[in-house]
Amino acid sequence: MFNFYAGPAGLPRPVADRIQRELSDFQGTGMSIMEISHRAPQVEWLLADTAARTQRLLRLDESYEVLLLQGGGSMQFAMVPMNFSAPGEPVDYIDTGYWAGRSIKDPRLLGRDVALAGSSADRGYTYVPPPESIRVRPNARYLHLVTNNTVEGTQFHRPPRAAVPIIADMSSDLMSDVFDPDAYHLAYAHAQKNIGIAGVTLVVVRRSMLERIEAELPAVLDYRVHSAHRSNFHTPPTFAIYVSWLMLGWLADEIGGLAAMGAINRRKAQILYDYLDGSSCYRAVAEPASRSLTNVVFTLPTPELTRRFLDEAEDAGFVGLAGHRTVGGCRASLFNGVTVESVRRLVDFMHDFERGVSSLSPTASRRLDTGERSPR
Ligand code: PMP
């Protein structure tokens, strides 16, 4: 089985194996991590060590804090405006597609004065606006962006700069490559793509941001409360955190850190994009300078061929290749758990499919011969 799902995504084999081995006995307690109180020293230690591993991998200094929260990326869409702005205040967002659009809905609903500092809607979200084109209002409380657009397969390869704090949804690329702590005041990522399983969301935030929060908020939505309780304000998702702790250990000890992980991830993306660029059957959708390393979105000449491709791929053991329901087509997600070898195997399969297709129906082969494309 080759897992290319966009999330939840596959875990590295050594991590999955270790979960299985330790399931009924966490560190000699004779209990599963799922059965231990969140006030027990083992869990307190697990929370602290998960934060410490995050801190080391991302090279965060003491000015940063790591929080382990619930509610996924979606809850951050609400917490960010609630914590860092008041109704009527200006907040700036970059609109780069589906998830960016979702991140913009909540501040609007909450009555913030939302402006778009940049957008790639004009070319169907096939690129990310160049950092130097971003226009941020000087009085904006913050600038929010999605660094990797999971649905459209685009990614910022250079973070924008702004005179206001930058807040990033990195749900699909945190821990996939080196992190630049200077670029952001707050970054968040749910775990189920590159860092484990659904249930926990990593938030890295500068302490100076926590100090500027003024709002009266329900406790569970208040970053300061989670910080004061060291991510143990209410019952944390201990099993999900344990899986992230294993993933972070695997990244550090078996992969050799985020620079090494980034090199592997770039290699995987290159193998697939190189193949797509040389093919007359498939076409990569994102503009080259904005291509995502973690989500490779591509199309085939017709909807019928796309259907056939996805069906045959699944029969051959390649799962999760259908594009997001809002854009269709195909998407191969190459998160940390996907190996170079499985990308090679996918390319071999795509090549065989392409060869089979060229000896096929007159319409399909004419389209292939002429390079004609079906509309996306
Ligand atoms: N942000 C991005 C970039 C995503 O890809 C997703 C989901 N795939 C979300 C946010 C939403 O995350 P969740 O389902 O954890 O709320």
Side-chain angles (χ1 to χ4, degrees), residues 51 54-55 58 60-69 76 79-80 83-84 165-168 174 179 181 184-189 201-213 222-228 231:
T54 302
Q55 209 104 32
L58 299 179
L60 306 177
D61 63 26
E62 285 306 304
S63 65
Y64 266 94
E65 203 159 309
V66 177
L67 305 176
L68 308 167
L69 306 185
Q76 295 306 305
M79 281 180 74
V80 165
N83 280 264
F84 301 119
I166 300 186
I167 297 182
L174 190 73
F179 178 76
Y184 307 105
H185 279 67
L186 184 150
Y188 59 88
T201 300
L202 261 61
V203 176
V204 302
V205 55
R206 288 198 202 170
R207 287 182 211 279
S208 60
M209 280 299 272
L210 298 176
E211 282 157 17
R212 69 165 67 187
I213 301 172
D222 190 328
Y223 289 118
R224 289 168 303 184
V225 170
H226 293 290
S227 158
S231 301

Side-chain angles (χ1 to χ4, degrees), residues 176-357:
S176 69
D177 203 346
V178 286
F179 178 76
D180 176 5
D182 293 334
Y184 307 105
H185 279 67
L186 184 150
Y188 59 88
H190 58 205
Q192 63 261 32
K193 292 176 169 46
N194 285 305
I195 325 168
I197 62 169
V200 61
T201 300
L202 261 61
V203 176
V204 302
V205 55
R206 288 198 202 170
R207 287 182 211 279
S208 60
M209 280 299 272
L210 298 176
E211 282 157 17
R212 69 165 67 187
I213 301 172
E214 291 166 359
E216 283 292 326
L217 295 168
V220 77
L221 298 173
D222 190 328
Y223 289 118
R224 289 168 303 184
V225 170
H226 293 290
S227 158
H229 290 83
R230 291 190 298 281
S231 301
N232 208 354
F233 164 63
H234 64 135
T235 319
T238 46
F239 183 70
I241 291 170
Y242 158 72
V243 176
S244 284
W245 176 77
L246 289 182
M247 272 297 286
L248 299 168
W250 172 82
L251 278 166
D253 303 335
E254 293 189 46
I255 296 297
L258 294 184
M261 191 69 248
I264 295 170
N265 284 333
R266 274 189 294 280
R267 179 88 199 101
K268 293 184 312 198
Q270 193 190 357
I271 292 170
L272 190 47
Y273 283 118
D274 280 354
Y275 173 67
L276 293 170
D277 288 343
S279 158
S280 54
C281 177
Y282 311 92
R283 184 173 68 98
V285 173
E287 296 181 15
S290 299
R291 285 174 169 178
S292 165
L293 297 180
T294 50
N295 302 94
V296 179
V297 175
F298 58 95
T299 56
L300 285 88
T302 65
E304 298 72 45
L305 267 182
T306 304
R307 189 68 262 148
R308 241 195 75 197
F309 169 75
L310 291 171
D311 286 347
E312 290 188 21
E314 189 143 346
D315 287 345
F318 299 93
V319 296
L321 288 170
H324 189 264
R325 62 188 185 283
T326 55
V327 297
C330 303
R331 167 177 57 175
S333 298
L334 312 179
F335 297 125
N336 288 348
V338 174
T339 60
V340 174
E341 177 54 20
S342 52
V343 179
R344 289 214 171 92
R345 297 284 289 273
L346 175 65
V347 164
D348 289 347
F349 170 80
M350 289 171 72
H351 182 66
D352 290 347
F353 183 85
E354 178 173 2
R355 275 215 314 248
V357 161

Side-chain angles (χ1 to χ4, degrees), residues 6-7 71-75 77 99-100 102 146-151 169-172 188 190 192-193 201:
S74 300
M75 200 168 84
F77 296 162
W99 289 110
R102 292 271 294 259
V146 178
T147 50
N148 183 79
N149 297 283
T150 324
V151 171
D169 174 1
M170 304 189 72
S171 289
S172 46
Y188 59 88
H190 58 205
Q192 63 261 32
K193 292 176 169 46
T201 300

